Amino acid sequence: MKKQVFKAFCLFIMMAAVVLTFSCAKKTIQSDPSSNGSEISQAEKDARDAALKAEELARQQSAIEEQRLKDEELKNRETAQKKAARELFENKDIYFDYDSSELTPIARMALKEKADWLSENPYAAVTIEGHCDERGTTEYNLALGEKRAISAKNYLQDLGIADNRMSTISYGEEKPQVRGNDEASWAKNRRVHFIIR
């Protein structure tokens, strides 16, 4: 009889455990999907998505601003380089020997650089000014200045620069680069100067 009571007691315990397990499972299954817990998690998800979108937008705007600054810096650098090249073109005169309109090897090298610049800047036109030192008559120096300017122009034409982009003028001795009555001053005044127009 003790065995039967023990068996009944064990059976009762097992039944209670099964009932308890099923009742707990039912509560979990039957929980309401529209309860506060799921509403909070959906709101949290929406907030997280909005935060991620805001971060991505901020990253994109930062990248766009960084690229704009790089482009602006590059443009400024290119503008400065173009300005420096233009100033070098205008400020680098070519020089001649006394009473001569023959181009020296150094003058030819300088004209080659000028031809390269003019080729890179096809809309630029140039005035070629011929100058002389103060020795000689006014008429003679005007003619010699013109020969010097034409000599430079012809060389540039040989290097492929169109005639209609160049004009010449002679100032003779009227516009000296350096004032003085010595050979060093005269040598600096025997020149051709270039003006971009």
Side-chain angles (χ1 to χ4, degrees):
M1 180 145 160
K2 279 186 178 182
K3 275 186 177 184
Q4 285 180 347
V5 171
F6 182 74
K7 280 184 185 178
F9 181 74
C10 283
L11 185 63
F12 175 76
I13 297 278
M14 286 173 61
M15 295 272 285
V18 169
V19 169
L20 187 62
T21 302
F22 280 118
S23 80
C24 288
K26 274 186 175 179
K27 283 183 182 175
T28 304
I29 291 170
Q30 291 180 354
S31 65
D32 185 4
S34 64
S35 69
N36 285 346
S38 62
E39 282 180 16
I40 290 171
S41 68
Q42 183 61 41
E44 288 174 350
K45 183 181 176 194
D46 291 345
R48 187 181 66 231
D49 290 346
L52 289 172
K53 286 179 183 175
E55 284 178 24
E56 180 60 26
L57 182 61
R59 268 196 300 272
Q60 289 174 355
Q61 288 176 338
S62 176
I64 289 169
E65 179 63 14
E66 187 177 331
Q67 186 61 46
R68 186 191 70 76
L69 290 173
K70 284 181 182 176
D71 291 346
E72 189 175 317
E73 182 183 342
L74 180 63
K75 184 179 177 183
N76 289 342
R77 195 177 313 130
E78 287 174 353
T79 300
Q81 287 172 345
K82 286 180 181 178
K83 184 179 178 187
R86 179 186 174 110
E87 288 174 358
L88 181 64
F89 182 96
E90 287 189 319
N91 293 329
K92 190 172 185 179
D93 293 346
I94 61 170
Y95 297 93
F96 294 84
D97 292 332
Y98 174 69
D99 199 27
S100 173
S101 61
E102 290 284 320
L103 296 172
T104 65
I106 293 172
R108 291 174 190 270
M109 285 173 33
L111 287 169
K112 173 69 173 89
E113 291 173 7
K114 292 182 187 301
D116 291 343
W117 187 89
L118 287 167
S119 296
E120 292 169 9
N121 297 275
Y123 298 106
V126 63
T127 299
I128 304 169
E129 301 177 347
H131 297 270
C132 300
D133 63 37
E134 63 187 26
R135 296 171 292 178
T137 65
T138 301
E139 295 78 17
Y140 181 82
N141 284 337
L142 284 171
L144 182 56
E146 184 65 22
K147 286 180 188 176
R148 289 173 174 168
I150 289 172
S151 182
K153 179 183 176 184
N154 289 342
Y155 193 75
L156 288 171
Q157 275 185 282
D158 291 345
L159 294 173
I161 306 304
D163 178 64
N164 63 355
R165 294 178 62 194
M166 299 179 285
S167 63
T168 61
I169 188 169
S170 176
Y171 288 104
E173 62 190 71
E174 292 175 28
K175 292 186 173 184
Q177 186 177 36
V178 176
R179 299 260 180 217
N181 293 318
D182 55 81
E183 184 54 42
S185 301
W186 293 330
K188 288 182 180 176
N189 292 331
R190 297 191 300 260
R191 72 193 198 284
V192 165
H193 183 69
F194 300 83
I195 301 290
I196 298 167
R197 47 184 169 84

